[in-house]
């Protein structure tokens, strides 16, 4: 049983949607009512969410001890949120890792409580198991279509049964909801997943995200765009990816995490270290280590990263692994092409350096990003051309067009970068499109590269991916993740779509090493024209189209077949010279979780095919649903739900529902992100609300303008003006029609 935190945990309101967007194609007379309701709500100083449900009471109050409580009942007493503690147990077996995350929810009140918690996982995690533990009862979850799982959960909640629901909001962002936690009771929710170990240039890495960073979501389209054209909200699920955030100036970090990693590398180990956390490393054998956090339970406010290398002279050979699953075999191949090929002649480059200076990049992240960009400028060669773009809620391009990388232009660029400060929202789409825009698409004698530095704290990933897929042209996109809790899903998938690579910089002391490694990749010839050929027919392989590789990067592919036999031949060109290697599949080592990783990769491939037009939305959804149900995986279309058979909450006893607050990611500045108390980016708060957390509703309100910046009455006036204009046009057209 997990131990629990001793100090009370602050509460904040249940998140609500700011605006209820009418469905496309509705008659104007049906739209008139909602428009008037929204207008009156804003004029009255009431949030639209409260205008939609005047019965809801969702305000925070503070007791004498400083504890924040959540008021959820008409005339009821304040209810404290469940306290949370988590434990991660991870076993690394060669190229794969199996992780079990146990979350303990403790209800310290005399009320029956439902708790909802937003949490991150690796973007390539194959989540396949969830268990609910209540006392001595263990309830194993079923995988179901998302809507069906939600119906089962809501029915169990209403019936007073213990229930848990795990839903994917993004491939790296999930929610757990736990219903009917009794007074004074502790329940456990245990989630397990499989994911691959990453490697580059001989270094292997395991990452565990521990906090879901607040994300900026662009504002919904203008009211008339919704009315006239049915324009879509760029982040239709914005309320599902927002959660209350603790102000570290008022509350110590909460949600403590304990961690144990059993590392079984499969080869003699050299250095094993973590740059993000203090760790204790116990040697079990030449190839095995046990890693724990040196300080015991640690605040969940930054990603954990562990890296390891082979001992000198003990570098592993080509990695080939297989697993027998359901009458078929899954194979995972990890091949690193040699770096000894003769380099091709240097090719002049056109390099666009993009830096995010929005509010979430404040503090250490901004310093890391600026230092990284300056290193990038220093590595430009005499024949290169470049430009610099900075962005927050707006963006600036330093030069009208690409300029030579001479002393004068470089000095001006360095001065520009040095003067950047973090503030404002994260409107990423426009600067990305500007960076990809190619004035000379016919240019064949130069490489065009975009280096994009950001923490990726946005909610409109789909817009970004679509822009890259349609507008990348001949550009290669290299994503550089900055800070303690970057959006790995955005970073890695953007780099894949942009035919580049992803580099993560967690701490200031990694800036020089990791940026130089990235820039060497940019300067080195790629392994191009890669193909994979199996000697046996009927092989289902992913990725179907192999990417180009950069120096030190491995090629990872997975396949499913009836039996692992025959050969796999890989061919390509390195520095203009042909390269080939052949693998015998019957020599593959036994592996674990290979089948889950193949299915997860196929699901990601279907999502990408939908973005790029290779599959229709209907075909992609059908493929994803089939794979998810066959392999028991949580996706955007499927969820895990666990329900106890016996009702527990007595009839007539009310149920309080609340979201658990998250820590602010390490290095972030609360006031830069959410504004000061007097300028907080929110519509007028309910009475008695005190600002010791940033509630999810405040985050959603801020996102309508700029999450990491304060809102002013200008934005309110703008919304009022848009609503009045829309109302006037609708009324005028109704009169004309009459």
């Amino acid at each position: 049983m997990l131990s629990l935190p001793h100090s009370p945990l602050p509460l904040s309101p249940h998140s609500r949607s700011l605006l209820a967007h009418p469905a496309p194609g509705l008659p104007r007379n049906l739209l008139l009512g909602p428009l008037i309701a929204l207008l009156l709500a804003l004029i009255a100083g009431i949030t639209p969410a409260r205008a939609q449900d005047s019965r809801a009471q969702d305000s925070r109050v503070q007791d004498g001890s400083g504890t924040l409580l959540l008021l959820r009942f008409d005339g009821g007493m304040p209810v404290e949120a469940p306290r949370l503690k988590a434990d991660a147990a991870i076993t690394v077996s060669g190229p794969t890792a199996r992780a079990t995350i146990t979350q303990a929810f403790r209800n310290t009140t005399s009320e029956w409580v439902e708790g909802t918690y937003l949490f991150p996982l690796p973007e390539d995690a194959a989540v396949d198991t969830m268990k609910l533990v209540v006392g001595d009862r263990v309830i194993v979850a079923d995988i179901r279509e998302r809507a069906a799982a939600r119906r089962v959960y809501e029915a169990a909640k209403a019936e007073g049964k213990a229930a848990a629901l795990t839903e994917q909001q993004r491939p790296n962002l999930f929610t757990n909801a736990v219903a009917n936690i009794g007074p004074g009771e502790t329940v456990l929710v245990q989630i397990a997943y499989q994911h691959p170990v990453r490697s580059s240039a001989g270094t292997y890495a395991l990452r565990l995200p521990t906090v879901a960073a607040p994300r900026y979501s662009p504002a919904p389209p203008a009211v008339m765009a919704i009315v006239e054209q049915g324009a879509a909200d760029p982040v239709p699920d914005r309320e599902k990816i927002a959660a209350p955030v603790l102000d570290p100036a008022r509350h110590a970090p909460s949600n403590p995490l304990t961690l144990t990693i059993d590392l079984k590398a499969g080869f003699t180990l050299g250095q094993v270290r973590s740059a993000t956390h203090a760790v204790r490393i116990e040697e079990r054998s030449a190839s095995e280590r046990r890693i724990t956090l040196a300080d015991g339970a640690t605040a969940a406010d930054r990603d954990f990263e562990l890296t390891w290398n082979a001992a000198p002279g003990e570098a592993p050979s080509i990695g080939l692994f297989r697993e027998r699953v359901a009458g078929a075999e899954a194979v995972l191949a990890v091949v690193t092409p040699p770096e000894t090929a003769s380099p091709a002649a240097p090719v002049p480059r056109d390099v666009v350096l993009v830096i995010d200076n929005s509010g979430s990049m404040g503090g250490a992240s901004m310093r890391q990003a600026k230092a990284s960009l300056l290193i990038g400028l220093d590595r430009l060669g005499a024949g290169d051309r470049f430009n610099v773009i900075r962005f927050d809620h707006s963006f600036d391009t330093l030069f009208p067009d690409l300029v030579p990388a001479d002393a004068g232009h470089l000095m001006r660029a360095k001065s520009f970068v040095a003067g950047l400060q973090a503030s404002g929202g994260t409107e990423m789409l426009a600067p990305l499109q500007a960076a990809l825009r190619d004035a000379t698409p016919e240019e064949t004698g130069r490489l065009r590269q975009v280096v994009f530095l950001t923490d990726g704290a946005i909610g409109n990933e789909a817009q970004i991916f679509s822009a890259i897929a349609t507008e990348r042209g001949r550009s290669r996109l290299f994503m550089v993740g900055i800070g303690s809790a970057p959006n790995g899903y955005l970073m890695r998938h953007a780099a894949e779509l942009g035919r580049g690579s992803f580099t993560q910089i967690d701490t200031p002391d990694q800036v020089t090493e990791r940026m130089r490694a990235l820039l060497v990749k940019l300067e080195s010839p790629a392994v191009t024209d890669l193909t994979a050929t199996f000697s046996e027919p009927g092989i289902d392989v992913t990725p179907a189209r192999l990417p180009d590789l950069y120096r030190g990067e491995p090629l990872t592919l997975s396949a499913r077949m009836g039996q692992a036999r025959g050969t796999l031949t890989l061919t390509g060109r390195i520095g203009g010279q042909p390269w080939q290697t052949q693998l015998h599949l019957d020599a593959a080592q036994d592996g674990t979780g290979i089948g889950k990783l193949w299915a997860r990769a196929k699901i990601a491939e279907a999502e990408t095919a939908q973005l790029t037009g290779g599959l229709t939305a209907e075909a992609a959804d059908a493929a994803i649903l089939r794979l998810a149900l066959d392999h028991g995986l949580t996706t955007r279309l499927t969820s895990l739900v666990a329900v106890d058979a016996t009702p527990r909450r007595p009839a007539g006893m009310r149920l309080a529902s609340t979201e658990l607050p998250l820590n602010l990611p390490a290095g972030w500045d609360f006031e830069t992100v959410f504004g000061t108390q007097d300028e907080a980016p929110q519509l007028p708060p309910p009475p008695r609300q005190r600002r010791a957390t940033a509630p999810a509703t405040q985050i959603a309100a801020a996102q309508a303008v700029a999450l990491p910046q304060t809102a002013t009455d200008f934005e309110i006036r703008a919304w009022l003006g848009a609503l009045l204009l829309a109302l006037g046009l609708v009324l005028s057209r109704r009169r004309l029609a009459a």
Side-chain angles (χ1 to χ4, degrees), residues 314-580:
E314 298 291 338
S317 58
I318 290 173
L320 188 60
F321 305 86
R322 65 180 175 184
E323 180 187 38
R324 191 78 182 171
V325 180
E329 284 193 294
V331 172
L332 178 69
V334 183
V335 183
T336 302
E339 300 186 31
T340 56
S342 301
V347 177
R349 298 178 299 148
D350 291 339
V351 181
V352 182
L353 299 156
V354 186
I355 184 169
D356 176 355
N357 69 296
S358 63
S360 65
M361 293 285 289
S365 294
M366 193 72 248
R367 293 190 293 272
Q368 289 170 219
K370 290 164 70 171
S372 299
L373 197 149
L374 291 173
I375 291 173
L377 291 171
D378 283 336
R379 295 286 297 198
L380 292 172
D384 294 336
R385 300 182 301 198
F386 79 103
N387 208 338
V388 179
I389 297 175
R390 68 104 220 140
F391 74 94
D392 42 40
H393 53 278
S394 62
F395 79 95
D396 292 314
T397 302
L398 178 58
F399 302 109
D401 201 351
L402 294 164
V403 297
D406 55 33
H409 287 118
L410 288 172
M411 182 176 296
R412 183 175 169 187
K414 290 177 181 180
S415 176
F416 174 77
V417 172
L420 294 177
Q421 295 184 356
S423 67
T426 315
E427 290 286 352
M428 188 178 292
L429 182 60
L432 172 69
Q433 291 171 321
L436 293 175
R437 194 170 298 124
D438 188 358
T440 56
E442 71 286 350
E443 186 85 63
T444 58
R446 306 179 70 87
L447 294 176
R448 194 173 196 281
Q449 299 169 337
V450 176
V451 181
F452 208 103
L453 299 101
T454 178
D455 59 13
I458 61 169
N460 60 320
E461 292 100 332
Q463 274 193 324
I464 301 302
F465 298 151
S466 181
I468 296 170
T470 57
E471 302 178 36
R472 66 188 176 190
R474 65 186 180 97
S475 299
R476 301 296 175 97
L477 177 62
F478 298 85
M479 301 297 292
V480 182
I482 300 292
S484 60
N487 183 352
Y489 165 56
L490 170 74
M491 301 293 198
R492 196 172 300 281
H493 197 45
E496 289 171 355
L497 288 170
R499 298 174 298 178
S501 65
F502 167 46
T503 299
Q504 173 61 49
I505 298 176
D506 298 283
T507 60
D509 59 359
Q510 293 176 332
V511 170
T512 300
E513 170 197 352
R514 296 197 174 181
M515 274 304 295
R516 289 193 185 282
L518 169 63
L519 296 169
V520 166
K521 289 180 183 179
L522 269 63
E523 297 163 5
S524 302
V527 184
T528 59
D529 303 327
L530 275 169
T531 61
T533 306
F534 289 88
S535 61
E536 299 293 316
I539 309 298
D540 193 342
V541 63
T542 181
R545 179 181 178 183
L546 301 185
D548 292 343
L549 300 178
Y550 288 81
R551 182 181 295 268
E553 288 189 340
L555 169 67
T556 301
L557 59 83
S558 56
R560 185 177 170 88
M561 61 201 72
Q563 184 177 350
R565 62 185 182 187
T567 60
L568 165 60
T569 302
L570 297 170
T571 61
R573 301 184 70 82
I574 302 177
Q577 302 298 315
W579 169 76
Q580 177 176 301

Side-chain angles (χ1 to χ4, degrees), residues 114 130-134 137-144 146-166 177-180 187-190 639-649:
E114 175 194 29
M130 187 261 279
K131 297 176 183 177
L132 173 63
V133 182
V134 182
R137 295 179 58 77
V138 178
I139 302 100
V140 179
D142 295 323
I143 189 76
R144 301 191 182 215
R146 183 171 181 138
R150 170 59 70 172
R151 288 194 298 269
V152 169
Y153 173 80
E154 293 294 342
K157 181 174 74 172
E159 293 167 3
K161 298 176 181 178
L165 178 68
T166 300
V178 188
N180 293 308
V187 301
L188 306 180
V189 177
Q190 192 174 80
S639 302
L640 286 162
V641 61
V643 176
D644 198 0
T646 306
R648 311 175 66 249
R649 176 165 50 91

